[in-house]
Amino acid sequence: VLKPGLGHLVDFIGLRRAVVLTLGIFAATSAVSVLVTSMALYFLVMVGFAAGFTNGTVTPPLVVVRAFGPRDFARTWGVLGMAYPLGMAVGTPTWGLVKDLMGEYTWAFLSVPVWVALILIGFALAVRGGRRMWVEQG
């Protein structure tokens, strides 16, 4: 449900705002999740997580087009599209390592807003001048 919702949100408020909004919700709910003790509130946290996770599959192709243009999209996306699965492959054992070293996942959840901030900085830098690169001037 949230993937089509994110697509609609991108169409409605734009790619940049939609990414910032959904990843912001994800970062906030991740930090708050360490305090949640009831199942009802945890369900809301999961919805916040889902809002952020939808960015992993919905927005990357849009970011690539925005940053590099539609020319040679398939070739560019073929290489850059590997980043998400590689990030998941590295991230999952890293979370396990945090649990092994700290005895709990609290620090992993609290680190999510920092990682989201780094992702948003990279996103902003990638799309900042992208449109000028492929749209004809004048």
Side-chain angles (χ1 to χ4, degrees), residues 88-109:
M88 295 296 284
V90 171
T92 303
T94 302
W95 277 67
L97 180 63
V98 169
K99 168 81 160 108
D100 291 344
L101 295 175
M102 305 296 214
E104 59 186 358
Y105 290 109
T106 302
W107 291 107
F109 281 103

Side-chain angles (χ1 to χ4, degrees), residues 12-110:
F12 188 67
I13 66 172
L15 178 62
R16 190 175 298 200
R17 287 184 181 132
V19 169
V20 169
L21 176 66
T22 55
L23 287 179
I25 291 169
F26 173 63
T29 55
S30 179
V32 169
S33 70
V34 299
L35 304 173
V36 172
T37 57
S38 76
M39 283 304 279
L41 290 176
Y42 198 68
F43 176 76
L44 291 175
V45 166
M46 288 294 105
V47 173
F49 282 178
F53 283 134
T54 58
N55 281 290
T57 54
V58 174
T59 59
L62 302 174
V63 172
V64 168
V65 168
R66 181 89 177 261
F68 300 106
R71 190 173 176 204
D72 296 325
F73 171 78
R75 186 177 315 153
T76 307
W77 179 243
V79 174
L80 295 178
M82 293 183 293
Y84 184 72
L86 288 173
M88 295 296 284
V90 171
T92 303
T94 302
W95 277 67
L97 180 63
V98 169
K99 168 81 160 108
D100 291 344
L101 295 175
M102 305 296 214
E104 59 186 358
Y105 290 109
T106 302
W107 291 107
F109 281 103
L110 292 176

